[in-house]
Amino acid sequence: MADPVAPGAGRATGSIGEVTSPPVRVRFAPAPTGYLHIGGARTALFNWLFARQQGGELKLRIEDTDAERSRRELIEIIYRTLEWLGIDWDGEAVHQSDRTHLYTGAVERLLESGAAYRCDCTPEQVQARAAGRGGKPGYDGHCRERQVRPGEGVVARFRVPDEGVTAFDDVIRGHISFENADLEDFVILRSNGVPMFHVANAVDDADMGITHIIRGEDLINVTPRVLLLRQALGITELPVFAHLPLIVNEKRQKLSKRRDDVSVGDYIDRGYLPEAMVNYLATLGWGAPDGVEIRPLPEIVELFRLEDVGSSGAFFDLKKLDHFNATYIRALTTDEFVNRSTRWLFGEAPWPAERFDAKAFEALAPLVQQRVEVLSQVPGYVDFVFLAEPVVDEASWEKVMVKGAESAAAMLDAIIDAYGTCDWDADALMEAIKVEGERLALPRKQWQAPVRVAVTGRSVGPPLGESLVVLGRERTLERLRAARSRL
RNA sequence: GCCCCCAUCGUCCAGUGGCCUAGGACGCCGCCCUUUCAAGGCGGUAACACGGGUUCGAAUCCCGUUGGGGGUGCCA
């Protein structure tokens, strides 16, 4: 087996000396019990990268066998989020809720062949007996020989062999094996008649011709169940498994929707670019051979190797994501930057829509573009233009106008005077500040600060000259005088 | 408890027996550039968890320890 990633590796599938590999087909199989989160997005991405790299197919399968927890609108969100990320799939999405007959059929066959049996123990009884035995929790095989009849509160369980091992080779982790004795007789059919996800999993992966199962490490433990089920159902082909390392929080725990900020949708709302998100996600568990991290997706597709994926958990580092995002934002054309900023300029902007002036924004856009890390920061750089009054940042005011009141007053008086008559272009405006600053013998640091705070309310922002040009002489003088009178 | 997995700078990746006085990136800290903030340039900080083997030689192979994580549902 020269290629560890080849499906069915180990079994000769062609004539001597010529092993033909079936085309690669992978799937992303989310359960619609919540929005798409970072971990799911990464799993989807790695499946997509592998499929595209191999010239194979990516199928999308919605695992909604648990009707109580699955919600229709969440499926829609999953589609939209994947589309935002640029992860496209081949063919129609498969919904397991449309295919329950296949799974119940499989359960029937298992029951008939004796690979499974019915059980009427309540969870409480199972627990009580486990506690009584001391130690080992889990089901004890109580109903194996009881010939329980179908009925209320009856489930079907898979009869796990008492001996032997169930093992598989993982492309990322190598050989993984489980003692059958450690596996309990797991439920395959709920008492409400709906088959469990591992049954659907085993049936669908075989039925859909999935060649590689790429998913999170948290699913390693269910793999032996699926393997046992496939075997009992007479499915002979074996997919290649690849269990991805988990993405973890700062405490090195698996990201959780409850305690961690992981909804991809939230990142969309904050103004992360999909290409930055995808690029960053690709570096979690994988690295290009040449060490270049920020690079176009097609290059990543070309370089991606499943067997190069690492095996230890990766921390989702927001700081690094921000760096990626800022880099991608700066690389945009100005038009594209303006375009992508739209949503933060209107609906969610801090100013009334009618006060927005596209021309003014476009003048400042290239300067703002090289300063923001996420698009939601855009309004903060230009709001002084579209608001009747600047939003005064207290810390800035305190530092510049209160602590430096004396020089601020002198500077403002001088500038109000100069700006009344000077040319209204960026160079002239800045030259005036320089001239007055020098004349007043102020440290360079204090030259523009009072003007900036008076006009924009903040001590940081786009270059001052350009900002003033956009604001206009009247409004600038108005604000300078207002600030001066507040000193 | 039991089962499974993991273990290189604070973080993400390189490194698959000698090229390692361990490399890159993010972060952080300096300096330069700069009439704000960024960007850019230069430099710095910082890691092979521990203990045994195997070998002429180990970050790389084996065993153990410790630590971390995942699972242990009629969720997926």
Side-chain angles (χ1 to χ4, degrees), chain A residues 226-415:
Chain A
V226 174
L227 254 16
L228 252 13
L229 283 168
R230 289 177 74 116
Q231 203 173 45
L233 288 167
I235 299 163
T236 51
E237 313 81 56
L238 203 61
V240 172
F241 286 93
H243 286 95
L244 269 18
L246 258 22
I247 294 185
V248 301
N249 61 21
E250 61 290 333
K251 291 164 77 180
R252 304 234 121 238
Q253 296 163 321
K254 168 175 134 177
L255 290 183
S256 132
K257 292 176 186 178
R258 305 194 58 173
R259 62 173 176 246
D260 301 307
D261 186 10
V262 290
S263 162
V264 175
D266 289 345
Y267 290 87
I268 298 176
D269 294 343
R270 273 187 263 164
Y272 285 89
L273 265 31
E275 49 272 55
M277 178 61 85
V278 159
N279 194 157
Y280 175 64
L281 251 20
T283 68
L284 258 30
W286 178 80
D290 60 9
V292 177
E293 297 184 311
I294 297 183
R295 67 199 315 160
L297 229 209
E299 281 186 29
I300 295 176
V301 168
E302 190 182 330
L303 296 167
F304 187 78
R305 296 287 180 280
L306 199 48
E307 57 275 41
D308 288 345
V309 174
S311 44
S312 43
F315 171 60
F316 185 71
D317 188 352
L318 248 190
K319 283 254 183 69
K320 192 154 180 176
L321 205 215
D322 284 344
H323 174 257
F324 274 49
N325 205 56
T327 303
Y328 272 92
I329 285 177
R330 272 183 258 116
L332 257 22
T333 61
T334 302
D335 280 354
E336 189 59 16
F337 171 71
V338 170
N339 215 280
R340 302 233 201 169
S341 298
T342 305
R343 108 169 229 205
W344 289 273
L345 262 18
F346 292 96
E348 301 170 23
W351 52 75
E354 67 275 13
R355 289 195 61 97
F356 181 71
D357 174 352
K359 278 274 175 293
F361 178 68
E362 279 162 30
L364 255 18
L367 303 169
V368 174
Q369 182 179 359
Q370 45 184 279
R371 288 171 170 75
V372 295
E373 289 179 309
V374 293
L375 263 14
S376 57
Q377 289 169 350
V378 170
Y381 277 85
V382 297
D383 60 355
F384 73 95
V385 183
F386 309 122
L387 254 17
E389 300 289 330
V391 177
V392 178
D393 172 59
E394 288 310 325
S396 298
W397 184 272
E398 174 69 22
K399 180 162 181 266
V400 176
M401 307 298 226
V402 178
K403 288 195 175 133
E406 213 171 302
S407 53
M411 194 69 205
L412 288 181
D413 284 334
I415 280 300

Side-chain angles (χ1 to χ4, degrees), chain A residues 448-470:
Chain A
Q448 67 159 275
V451 180
R452 180 180 285 284
V453 172
V455 174
T456 72
R458 299 188 176 85
S459 51
V460 302
L464 188 55
E466 284 77 358
S467 298
L468 299 182
V469 168
V470 169

